[in-house]
């Protein structure tokens, strides 16, 4: 049953299936932001998040920055003299 699956998943992985999937989607989104110039709308679709607003809210709740702010912060890091 779904409840048994959730319990077994949580025991084995340490988190719920929903939270696990959310973390995987956000890690994929972060990778796209770091390594591509894809639009935020395309990234949201590729990682399976409903729409741009949902993607931005979800990303910010995890990383304390919107996807746009995250991408800008990366650009600033690359521009710093080393």
């Amino acid at each position: 049953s779904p409840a048994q699956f959730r319990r077994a998943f949580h025991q084995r992985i340490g988190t719920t299936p929903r939270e696990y999937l959310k973390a995987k989607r956000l890690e994929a989104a972060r990778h796209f932001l770091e390594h591509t110039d894809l639009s935020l709308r395309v990234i949201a679709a590729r990682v399976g998040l409903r729409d741009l607003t949902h993607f931005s809210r979800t990303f910010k709740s995890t990383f304390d920055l919107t996807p746009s702010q995250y991408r800008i912060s990366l650009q600033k890091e690359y521009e710093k003299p080393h």
Side-chain angles (χ1 to χ4, degrees):
S1 77
Q4 286 176 312
F5 171 76
R6 284 190 298 274
R7 273 193 301 277
F9 189 95
H10 192 276
Q11 284 179 329
R12 180 155 229 157
I13 306 297
T15 189
T16 66
R18 180 176 290 181
E19 287 299 314
Y20 179 82
L21 183 58
K22 175 183 162 186
K24 291 297 181 184
R25 285 177 168 162
L26 290 175
E27 283 303 318
R30 197 164 80 164
H31 175 81
F32 283 128
L33 289 167
E34 291 172 358
H35 300 288
T36 73
D37 60 353
L38 294 171
S39 73
L40 299 180
R41 192 171 306 281
V42 169
I43 292 171
R46 286 206 179 167
V47 301
L49 292 168
R50 283 192 294 259
D51 58 41
L52 191 54
T53 302
H54 180 69
F55 171 49
S56 292
R57 239 184 290 136
T58 304
F59 193 93
K60 186 172 183 170
S61 73
T62 299
F63 299 113
D64 295 325
L65 295 169
T66 66
S68 297
Q69 291 168 333
Y70 185 79
R71 187 172 260 170
I72 290 167
S73 74
L74 291 172
Q75 291 167 350
K76 288 180 181 176
E77 276 299 310
Y78 290 128
E79 292 171 358
K80 284 184 182 177
H82 295 286

